[in-house]
Amino acid sequence: MIRLLYLSQATHDISDVQVQDILRSARRNNEAVGITGVLVHGGSMFAQILEGPEQAVLRMYVKVMDDRRHGDVRIIHISPANEPMFKDWSMAVIKSNPMEFQHIAQLRTHRMEAVHAQAFGETMREFVAILNAQRASA
Ligand SMILES: Cc1cc2nc3c(=O)[nH]c(=O)nc-3n(C[C@H](O)[C@H](O)[C@H](O)COP(=O)(O)O)c2cc1C
């Protein structure tokens, strides 16, 4: 499974009715495909975590990305996950400006660079280990 966090800008001011409408769709559709997560909204921003089977999450992300109720949709973080953190919620909701969350703000600044750097580092270490093993058996 994977966990994906994106941020987006609402096209119009976000109303409670609009959020209820989104949640109704989410609760109807997400459970059927094994997706859980949380929708954070406030100011004119959305942040959403989608977690679940990789294909289901990516498909849902593409569907949601096309929704005209928001734009400037950007993946902030995506990573493999062992188990859902929001398993009790087909879609939880938090009413708060996403930027008030320190780590979201940091992730947005660095976007995926840090993740890439780490993954890159691991890959390099893996290559070195393979080379060392080859040398040892030569
Ligand atoms: C910020 C935002 C988050 C959304 N999150 C979800 C979601 O988690 N699940 C979902 O099914 N639809 C979500 N939607 C709505 C979808 O874009 C789409 O309108 C909906 O899935 C259509 O449902 P239907 O195919 O059952 O008519 C979201 C929309 C927005 C603007």
Side-chain angles (χ1 to χ4, degrees):
M1 64 168 291
I2 59 167
R3 185 172 300 118
L4 181 158
L5 166 68
Y6 74 77
L7 281 174
S8 67
Q9 292 285 338
T11 321
H12 303 288
D13 281 353
I14 303 165
S15 69
D16 287 347
V17 173
Q18 196 175 62
V19 171
Q20 287 312 315
D21 201 47
I22 291 170
L23 289 177
R24 234 189 333 270
S25 301
R27 287 176 180 154
R28 186 177 56 231
N29 299 324
N30 295 5
E31 199 183 335
V33 293
I35 291 178
T36 54
V38 57
L39 177 69
V40 184
H41 67 95
S44 60
M45 290 191 74
F46 288 112
Q48 189 175 29
I49 291 181
L50 296 168
E51 58 178 21
E54 182 160 352
Q55 299 227 348
V57 167
L58 293 175
R59 269 197 205 105
M60 183 58 72
Y61 173 72
V62 170
K63 180 179 182 185
V64 167
M65 193 173 65
D66 274 348
D67 195 307
R68 286 165 177 254
R69 285 171 286 190
H70 63 170
D72 196 17
V73 186
R74 295 171 191 215
I75 293 178
I76 297 301
H77 185 81
I78 181 166
S79 57
N82 292 324
E83 52 186 284
M85 293 176 70
F86 301 92
K87 66 173 158 46
D88 293 334
W89 300 274
S90 57
M91 191 47 62
V93 64
I94 295 173
K95 188 170 179 174
S96 168
N97 187 324
M99 284 304 120
E100 279 164 22
F101 292 87
Q102 191 193 344
H103 290 112
I104 291 188
Q106 281 173 356
L107 279 170
R108 182 167 75 156
T109 312
H110 298 295
R111 202 120 179 244
M112 292 194 285
E113 285 166 32
V115 178
H116 281 165
Q118 195 188 347
F120 189 66
E122 299 289 4
T123 307
M124 292 306 110
R125 274 190 285 280
E126 210 173 345
F127 287 169
V128 170
I130 291 168
L131 293 175
N132 282 335
Q134 282 178 2
R135 190 168 51 192
S137 65

